[in-house]
Amino acid sequence: MNLDALYQDVILDHYKHPQNKKLNATYDAQVHHVNPSCGDEITLNLSLSGGVVTDISWDGVGCSISQASVSIMSDLLKGKTIDQAEAISEKFLHLMQSKGSEKGDEDALEDAVALAGVSKYPARIKCALLGWMAFKDASVQAQ
Ligand code: ZN
């Protein structure tokens, strides 16, 4: 199996079996973000405690890239400190801006490196970033 096929499997697996896709009733901040160019929408609930991301839950509709990316992000950032979560988000943003020239830091980004190929398609980058931007917005509101 080549790397692209493997990455495709990671994305499809998160799309079909999304992590944390059930809005938790208690939260410190709730945001709703849309990507009108594709029709992707997510609502994200975030809980913080003592500078740590204690919970990320979400619900949404949209393309496989947007929904898989939110699932990956929620799994990856839950349990991290806000500083760690911001550093990981910066790495992901950098990867999405790499125009296909970078593979991503797998130690920090884990499953999110599966989205590296999206950076070659400018129209899809907003899909991949939707959940990460929602997290950033929510983390500012929750602090
Ligand atoms: Zn999309």
Side-chain angles (χ1 to χ4, degrees), residues 33-140:
H33 278 221
V34 298
N35 172 25
S37 64
C38 182
D40 310 316
E41 284 189 40
I42 65 157
T43 300
L44 184 145
N45 288 357
L46 176 69
S47 298
L48 300 180
S49 179
V52 174
V53 178
T54 51
D55 194 54
I56 301 171
S57 63
W58 62 280
D59 197 11
V61 291
C63 70
S64 58
I65 291 171
S66 68
Q67 304 299 298
S69 188
V70 185
S71 172
I72 291 168
M73 179 280 295
S74 66
D75 208 24
L76 187 58
L77 300 188
K78 200 155 88 169
K80 300 286 195 294
T81 67
I82 281 288
D83 287 347
Q84 288 170 330
E86 282 176 0
I88 292 166
S89 298
E90 280 300 313
K91 280 180 189 267
F92 186 71
L93 181 61
H94 180 78
L95 179 62
M96 286 300 107
Q97 292 168 340
S98 73
K99 299 185 171 69
S101 67
E102 291 184 26
K103 294 188 182 76
D105 176 355
E106 195 168 0
D107 288 337
L109 293 173
E110 300 181 15
D111 279 0
V113 296
L115 293 155
V118 173
S119 69
K120 286 181 277 192
Y121 306 96
R124 309 310 301 276
I125 294 171
K126 281 185 182 167
C127 301
L129 287 176
L130 181 67
W132 299 74
M133 292 302 162
F135 171 81
K136 190 173 188 179
D137 186 12
S139 70
V140 169

